[in-house]
Amino acid sequence: MTPQNKLSDYIKTLESYIPQHEFTNPKVSESTVGWQIDHSLKVINNVCLAMQSSDPNTYKKNITLVGRFLLTLGKFPRGKAKAPKHVRPPEVIEKADLINQVANAKKNIETINSLPQNAYFKHPMFGHINKKRVTRFLEIHTKHHLKIISDMTNK
């Protein structure tokens, strides 16, 4: 399975939870299933857009030790990081908005392969993440939130 296929499958799984977007399980998370979906999609879409508009000539090989470790480990610890403002969901999460974000995410991940090798986005804790590592980052991040959703819904 190619990385884009795995990420594509994760997006489809996020999409399958949209009917449960208002569901909460305070034993697992203070947020709703919709919050988890919205945040995951915002990250995918914002990362892809940032990479598309990045200047590969300004890429710096400055990925942090923490970033390298977590990308190698393949998972993020729960409850240790706070989502930056631009990828936080709104107070009210609309089903139609989630559906629209899913469509955008499906299109956006298709652009990754055509980007220059040093297209990148700047992660607040990991440093610059270029094309080589971006799909892995998005897979791990999305899988992290899918696990939270699964635990919330007991699936």
Side-chain angles (χ1 to χ4, degrees), residues 32 34 42 57 65 78 80 84-85 95 105 107 125 137 139 145 147-148 151 153:
T32 63
K42 276 183 172 36
N57 296 317
L65 188 58
R78 238 186 235 187
K80 299 295 180 198
K85 250 184 191 165
K95 187 176 177 179
K107 281 187 253 171
M125 288 177 26
F137 169 80
E139 285 174 9
H145 288 282
K147 175 80 171 102
I148 295 169
D151 290 352
T153 58

Side-chain angles (χ1 to χ4, degrees), residues 70-81:
L70 293 175
L71 290 174
T72 302
L73 183 64
K75 60 191 276 185
F76 297 150
R78 238 186 235 187
K80 299 295 180 198

Side-chain angles (χ1 to χ4, degrees), residues 14-89:
L14 287 171
E15 185 176 28
S16 75
Y17 282 108
I18 291 174
Q20 297 170 272
H21 76 284
E22 293 178 336
F23 186 80
T24 60
N25 183 341
K27 291 178 183 171
V28 177
S29 175
E30 294 176 13
S31 68
T32 63
V33 167
W35 191 100
Q36 300 291 330
I37 297 168
D38 188 276
H39 169 68
S40 297
L41 294 169
K42 276 183 172 36
V43 168
I44 292 167
N45 288 321
N46 277 292
V47 164
C48 289
L49 294 174
M51 291 192 62
Q52 290 168 24
S53 64
S54 71
D55 178 356
N57 296 317
T58 61
Y59 168 73
K60 293 180 184 131
K61 198 172 185 178
N62 67 354
I63 189 163
T64 64
L65 188 58
V66 170
R68 252 184 271 158
F69 175 74
L70 293 175
L71 290 174
T72 302
L73 183 64
K75 60 191 276 185
F76 297 150
R78 238 186 235 187
K80 299 295 180 198
K82 191 172 180 182
K85 250 184 191 165
H86 67 282
V87 290
R88 274 191 225 144

